[in-house]
Amino acid sequence: MTDTTPADSQDYLRKRAFYDSLLTIYGRKPVLEALEDLSLPVHKLHLADSNRRDKLIERIEALAAERHIEIVYRSRRELSRISKNARQDQGVALDLALPHYGTAEAFLHEPKTNYELLAIDGITNPQNLGMIIRSACAGGMDGILLPRKGCAQIDPLVIKASTGTVFKMRLLRCEKLAPTLSAFKQRGARICGLSSHAPMTLSALEENAPTIFVLGNETHGVSDAVDELCTHRLRIPMHNGVESLNVAVTAALIAFRERPSHSNPV
Amino acid sequence: MTDTTPADSQDYLRKRAFYDSLLTIYGRKPVLEALEDLSLPVHKLHLADSNRRDKLIERIEALAAERHIEIVYRSRRELSRISKNARQDQGVALDLALPHYGTAEAFLHEPKTNYELLAIDGITNPQNLGMIIRSACAGGMDGILLPRKGCAQIDPLVIKASTGTVFKMRLLRCEKLAPTLSAFKQRGARICGLSSHAPMTLSALEENAPTIFVLGNETHGVSDAVDELCTHRLRIPMHNGVESLNVAVTAALIAFRERPSHSNPV
């Protein structure tokens, strides 16, 4: 963008921020439910022109018309490119313009004194990812770092398991987790890996710096590349010799833990 | 048993306590995994005589022989009566004599000054039940009241989701939940229903009496019959307008909450 004028450049950044906030969901039921939720800002509806017209499709078209949402009819192949999931899109995709959906990079450049994030490291089970989002949202975490590589992505199963909180939670996308965590660390964030064998307990962590809690894979834990970056390794003490918790339960215990400076909802 | 001599009566009570502690599991993989866990006391292995002999069955028989466990070969019909699930037993059932598996009635008659239990009210999703057991076990709850009516029962899915903690947690069986809670209430227990609309928060609950936390159905919450018995209705405060948590997450936040008198694991 070196050859653009400042005005053009601003325009580009605005456009880029807008496109970064687009989340494309797909599948007839998830799209219908999103259209029915008037709190969700919708950008565009994409329909395959090969769709057989049934009640769900008619209801989707009627809702879009009612809400003055642009409908674009596309070839089956074009639609697959938009949904990125030809097998499950059922000929329907919807771009949501979510104010809370953005990039890790944008978050990193915001002026912030303190924050707490979760980072997803190799979590592949969509149900667990959805439940993590639900717990983090209810517990008031400031965001979730979600890498494109090696993790479940926002799909109908995740949306369902999140019970709609995926649209409220600040999701910070990145390509790979380790370089992103490295950038946060350089700017003063603590990187805390959760591990059942860590010597320090979660409740012993003092509140004095921006903090990212890394949730590792359900079986293998935090990845090696990320483990090397960790400034802290934390454990949740357990009774009865239990060795691990469900990862969404871990997320909840982090998000809901008592913190003196954290404003609690009433 | 009125016509038995005192000695016979004692014998009867001992036998009854033993049979009350039996948990019959079924399915080739769950049974094999249970046999491989040497910490699980096994009573008897039941095999359908119609079973085709494959590697799993051979491994199950070899393990049982190694552990000197009685093997009983049965007709397909007899086996269904034992597993109570002909569709999923795969011709294999195993009686575990679990020291922690018993009845609510037995627990009620033990001398106890204080305890905290969870009660399951209409939770039908086996994955949620398994995760509740895992969270409660790790968080050090004293037991879980599990009614036979209207709830998921201990089956292979529950065992899997519990990651084996079902064999460590004290599970207190009863027929129906409301009459059982009523008996506990008469003996001084507080009955606390969790509900997102309750005025009191979980953390405001003082620690001064035996307490049973009731977890209601995923969609409909605590049942009417149980709600009437509640001495307290409690809410977990949430951010971002989130209305509910996954029921296993709720169980974890109860079990892991900070309590001055509760001994924490190290």
Short mmCIF file of all heavy atoms in Angstrom, two decimals, chain B residues 117-153:
data_model
loop_
_atom_site.label_atom_id
_atom_site.label_comp_id
_atom_site.label_asym_id
_atom_site.label_seq_id
_atom_site.Cartn_x
_atom_site.Cartn_y
_atom_site.Cartn_z
N LEU B 117 -23.22 -32.25 48.79
CA LEU B 117 -23.55 -33.18 47.72
C LEU B 117 -24.06 -32.41 46.50
O LEU B 117 -24.56 -31.29 46.62
CB LEU B 117 -24.67 -34.14 48.17
CG LEU B 117 -24.46 -34.96 49.44
CD1 LEU B 117 -25.71 -35.80 49.71
CD2 LEU B 117 -23.23 -35.84 49.32
N LEU B 118 -23.94 -33.04 45.35
CA LEU B 118 -24.68 -32.57 44.18
C LEU B 118 -25.87 -33.50 44.01
O LEU B 118 -25.79 -34.68 44.35
CB LEU B 118 -23.83 -32.65 42.91
CG LEU B 118 -22.63 -31.72 42.77
CD1 LEU B 118 -21.94 -31.97 41.42
CD2 LEU B 118 -23.05 -30.26 42.87
N ALA B 119 -26.97 -32.98 43.49
CA ALA B 119 -28.12 -33.83 43.15
C ALA B 119 -28.47 -33.60 41.69
O ALA B 119 -28.49 -32.46 41.22
CB ALA B 119 -29.31 -33.50 44.04
N ILE B 120 -28.71 -34.69 40.98
CA ILE B 120 -28.98 -34.65 39.54
C ILE B 120 -30.50 -34.69 39.34
O ILE B 120 -31.14 -35.66 39.73
CB ILE B 120 -28.33 -35.88 38.86
CG1 ILE B 120 -26.84 -35.96 39.20
CG2 ILE B 120 -28.55 -35.84 37.36
CD1 ILE B 120 -26.00 -34.82 38.71
N ASP B 121 -31.05 -33.65 38.75
CA ASP B 121 -32.50 -33.55 38.58
C ASP B 121 -32.86 -33.46 37.09
O ASP B 121 -32.84 -32.38 36.51
CB ASP B 121 -32.98 -32.29 39.33
CG ASP B 121 -34.50 -32.16 39.30
OD1 ASP B 121 -35.19 -33.16 39.05
OD2 ASP B 121 -34.99 -31.03 39.53
N GLY B 122 -33.13 -34.62 36.49
CA GLY B 122 -33.59 -34.62 35.10
C GLY B 122 -32.50 -34.33 34.08
O GLY B 122 -32.78 -33.81 33.00
N ILE B 123 -31.26 -34.65 34.39
CA ILE B 123 -30.19 -34.48 33.41
C ILE B 123 -30.09 -35.75 32.58
O ILE B 123 -29.79 -36.82 33.10
CB ILE B 123 -28.86 -34.13 34.11
CG1 ILE B 123 -29.00 -32.73 34.71
CG2 ILE B 123 -27.68 -34.20 33.12
CD1 ILE B 123 -27.83 -32.29 35.54
N THR B 124 -30.38 -35.62 31.28
CA THR B 124 -30.52 -36.79 30.43
C THR B 124 -29.33 -36.99 29.50
O THR B 124 -29.18 -38.05 28.90
CB THR B 124 -31.79 -36.67 29.57
OG1 THR B 124 -31.74 -35.41 28.89
CG2 THR B 124 -33.03 -36.71 30.44
N ASN B 125 -28.49 -36.00 29.35
CA ASN B 125 -27.35 -36.08 28.43
C ASN B 125 -26.19 -36.81 29.12
O ASN B 125 -25.64 -36.33 30.11
CB ASN B 125 -26.96 -34.66 28.03
CG ASN B 125 -25.78 -34.62 27.09
OD1 ASN B 125 -24.85 -35.40 27.21
ND2 ASN B 125 -25.82 -33.71 26.15
N PRO B 126 -25.83 -38.01 28.60
CA PRO B 126 -24.79 -38.80 29.28
C PRO B 126 -23.45 -38.08 29.35
O PRO B 126 -22.71 -38.22 30.33
CB PRO B 126 -24.68 -40.07 28.44
CG PRO B 126 -25.50 -39.86 27.22
CD PRO B 126 -26.37 -38.68 27.40
N GLN B 127 -23.13 -37.31 28.31
CA GLN B 127 -21.86 -36.58 28.32
C GLN B 127 -21.84 -35.57 29.46
O GLN B 127 -20.83 -35.45 30.17
CB GLN B 127 -21.71 -35.87 26.98
CG GLN B 127 -20.39 -35.18 26.82
CD GLN B 127 -19.75 -35.52 25.50
OE1 GLN B 127 -20.43 -35.93 24.56
NE2 GLN B 127 -18.45 -35.35 25.40
N ASN B 128 -22.94 -34.87 29.64
CA ASN B 128 -23.00 -33.91 30.75
C ASN B 128 -22.88 -34.62 32.10
O ASN B 128 -22.17 -34.16 32.98
CB ASN B 128 -24.31 -33.11 30.70
CG ASN B 128 -24.23 -31.95 29.70
OD1 ASN B 128 -23.15 -31.53 29.31
ND2 ASN B 128 -25.38 -31.45 29.30
N LEU B 129 -23.59 -35.76 32.26
CA LEU B 129 -23.50 -36.48 33.53
C LEU B 129 -22.06 -36.92 33.80
O LEU B 129 -21.55 -36.75 34.91
CB LEU B 129 -24.45 -37.69 33.55
CG LEU B 129 -24.40 -38.53 34.83
CD1 LEU B 129 -24.72 -37.67 36.06
CD2 LEU B 129 -25.35 -39.72 34.76
N GLY B 130 -21.40 -37.46 32.78
CA GLY B 130 -20.01 -37.89 32.95
C GLY B 130 -19.11 -36.73 33.35
O GLY B 130 -18.26 -36.85 34.24
N MET B 131 -19.30 -35.58 32.70
CA MET B 131 -18.48 -34.41 33.01
C MET B 131 -18.78 -33.85 34.40
O MET B 131 -17.90 -33.33 35.08
CB MET B 131 -18.67 -33.33 31.96
CG MET B 131 -17.94 -33.63 30.65
SD MET B 131 -18.35 -32.47 29.31
CE MET B 131 -18.17 -30.92 30.14
N ILE B 132 -20.03 -33.96 34.82
CA ILE B 132 -20.39 -33.53 36.19
C ILE B 132 -19.65 -34.38 37.21
O ILE B 132 -19.08 -33.89 38.18
CB ILE B 132 -21.92 -33.64 36.42
CG1 ILE B 132 -22.67 -32.56 35.63
CG2 ILE B 132 -22.26 -33.53 37.91
CD1 ILE B 132 -24.18 -32.76 35.59
N ILE B 133 -19.66 -35.71 36.98
CA ILE B 133 -18.98 -36.62 37.91
C ILE B 133 -17.49 -36.29 37.97
O ILE B 133 -16.90 -36.21 39.05
CB ILE B 133 -19.22 -38.09 37.48
CG1 ILE B 133 -20.71 -38.44 37.62
CG2 ILE B 133 -18.37 -39.05 38.31
CD1 ILE B 133 -21.11 -39.76 36.98
N ARG B 134 -16.89 -36.06 36.79
CA ARG B 134 -15.47 -35.72 36.74
C ARG B 134 -15.17 -34.43 37.52
O ARG B 134 -14.23 -34.38 38.32
CB ARG B 134 -15.08 -35.55 35.26
CG ARG B 134 -13.60 -35.27 34.99
CD ARG B 134 -13.38 -35.17 33.49
NE ARG B 134 -12.01 -34.89 33.13
CZ ARG B 134 -11.60 -34.64 31.89
NH1 ARG B 134 -12.49 -34.67 30.89
NH2 ARG B 134 -10.34 -34.37 31.62
N SER B 135 -15.97 -33.41 37.32
CA SER B 135 -15.76 -32.13 37.99
C SER B 135 -15.97 -32.26 39.50
O SER B 135 -15.21 -31.72 40.30
CB SER B 135 -16.73 -31.07 37.46
OG SER B 135 -16.48 -30.81 36.10
N ALA B 136 -17.02 -32.97 39.89
CA ALA B 136 -17.35 -33.12 41.31
C ALA B 136 -16.27 -33.91 42.03
O ALA B 136 -15.90 -33.60 43.17
CB ALA B 136 -18.70 -33.81 41.47
N CYS B 137 -15.76 -34.94 41.36
CA CYS B 137 -14.71 -35.77 41.94
C CYS B 137 -13.43 -34.96 42.13
O CYS B 137 -12.82 -34.96 43.20
CB CYS B 137 -14.47 -36.98 41.03
SG CYS B 137 -13.35 -38.21 41.69
N ALA B 138 -13.04 -34.22 41.08
CA ALA B 138 -11.82 -33.41 41.15
C ALA B 138 -11.96 -32.27 42.16
O ALA B 138 -10.99 -31.85 42.78
CB ALA B 138 -11.48 -32.86 39.78
N GLY B 139 -13.19 -31.78 42.31
CA GLY B 139 -13.42 -30.65 43.21
C GLY B 139 -13.67 -31.07 44.65
O GLY B 139 -13.83 -30.21 45.52
N GLY B 140 -13.75 -32.38 44.90
CA GLY B 140 -13.86 -32.86 46.28
C GLY B 140 -15.26 -32.81 46.87
O GLY B 140 -15.41 -32.70 48.09
N MET B 141 -16.31 -32.92 46.05
CA MET B 141 -17.65 -33.04 46.61
C MET B 141 -17.75 -34.38 47.35
O MET B 141 -17.05 -35.34 47.01
CB MET B 141 -18.72 -32.99 45.51
CG MET B 141 -18.78 -31.70 44.73
SD MET B 141 -19.20 -30.22 45.72
CE MET B 141 -20.95 -30.46 46.04
N ASP B 142 -18.66 -34.47 48.33
CA ASP B 142 -18.77 -35.69 49.12
C ASP B 142 -19.62 -36.78 48.48
O ASP B 142 -19.59 -37.93 48.92
CB ASP B 142 -19.32 -35.35 50.51
CG ASP B 142 -18.38 -34.42 51.26
OD1 ASP B 142 -17.19 -34.78 51.41
OD2 ASP B 142 -18.80 -33.32 51.64
N GLY B 143 -20.38 -36.41 47.45
CA GLY B 143 -21.19 -37.42 46.78
C GLY B 143 -22.12 -36.78 45.76
O GLY B 143 -22.26 -35.56 45.70
N ILE B 144 -22.74 -37.65 44.96
CA ILE B 144 -23.71 -37.21 43.96
C ILE B 144 -24.97 -38.05 44.09
O ILE B 144 -24.90 -39.28 44.03
CB ILE B 144 -23.15 -37.35 42.53
CG1 ILE B 144 -21.89 -36.50 42.35
CG2 ILE B 144 -24.20 -36.97 41.49
CD1 ILE B 144 -21.26 -36.61 40.96
N LEU B 145 -26.10 -37.40 44.31
CA LEU B 145 -27.38 -38.10 44.36
C LEU B 145 -27.87 -38.34 42.94
O LEU B 145 -28.11 -37.38 42.19
CB LEU B 145 -28.42 -37.26 45.11
CG LEU B 145 -28.27 -37.16 46.62
CD1 LEU B 145 -29.30 -36.16 47.18
CD2 LEU B 145 -28.47 -38.53 47.26
N LEU B 146 -28.03 -39.60 42.59
CA LEU B 146 -28.41 -39.95 41.22
C LEU B 146 -29.70 -40.76 41.20
O LEU B 146 -29.69 -41.95 41.48
CB LEU B 146 -27.28 -40.76 40.57
CG LEU B 146 -27.46 -41.17 39.12
CD1 LEU B 146 -27.58 -39.95 38.22
CD2 LEU B 146 -26.30 -42.05 38.66
N PRO B 147 -30.83 -40.11 40.89
CA PRO B 147 -32.10 -40.86 40.86
C PRO B 147 -32.20 -41.73 39.61
O PRO B 147 -31.64 -41.40 38.57
CB PRO B 147 -33.16 -39.75 40.82
CG PRO B 147 -32.45 -38.54 40.32
CD PRO B 147 -31.00 -38.68 40.62
N ARG B 148 -32.90 -42.85 39.78
CA ARG B 148 -33.09 -43.76 38.65
C ARG B 148 -34.08 -43.17 37.65
O ARG B 148 -34.00 -43.41 36.46
CB ARG B 148 -33.61 -45.10 39.18
CG ARG B 148 -33.15 -46.32 38.41
CD ARG B 148 -33.58 -47.60 39.09
NE ARG B 148 -35.03 -47.64 39.27
CZ ARG B 148 -35.90 -48.01 38.29
NH1 ARG B 148 -35.45 -48.38 37.13
NH2 ARG B 148 -37.19 -48.01 38.52
N LYS B 149 -35.03 -42.38 38.15
CA LYS B 149 -36.09 -41.83 37.29
C LYS B 149 -35.66 -40.54 36.61
O LYS B 149 -35.23 -39.59 37.29
CB LYS B 149 -37.35 -41.54 38.12
CG LYS B 149 -38.04 -42.77 38.68
CD LYS B 149 -39.11 -43.30 37.74
CE LYS B 149 -39.53 -44.70 38.12
NZ LYS B 149 -40.79 -44.78 38.84
N GLY B 150 -35.79 -40.50 35.30
CA GLY B 150 -35.65 -39.24 34.56
C GLY B 150 -34.24 -38.73 34.37
O GLY B 150 -34.05 -37.58 33.97
N CYS B 151 -33.23 -39.56 34.65
CA CYS B 151 -31.85 -39.12 34.48
C CYS B 151 -31.07 -40.12 33.64
O CYS B 151 -31.42 -41.29 33.59
CB CYS B 151 -31.14 -39.02 35.83
SG CYS B 151 -31.68 -37.62 36.79
N ALA B 152 -29.99 -39.65 33.03
CA ALA B 152 -29.05 -40.56 32.41
C ALA B 152 -28.53 -41.49 33.49
O ALA B 152 -28.41 -41.11 34.65
CB ALA B 152 -27.90 -39.78 31.79
N GLN B 153 -28.24 -42.74 33.13
CA GLN B 153 -27.69 -43.71 34.07
C GLN B 153 -26.25 -44.02 33.68
O GLN B 153 -25.79 -43.66 32.61
CB GLN B 153 -28.54 -44.99 34.07
CG GLN B 153 -29.97 -44.76 34.56
CD GLN B 153 -30.04 -44.23 35.99
OE1 GLN B 153 -29.52 -44.83 36.91
NE2 GLN B 153 -30.66 -43.07 36.17
#
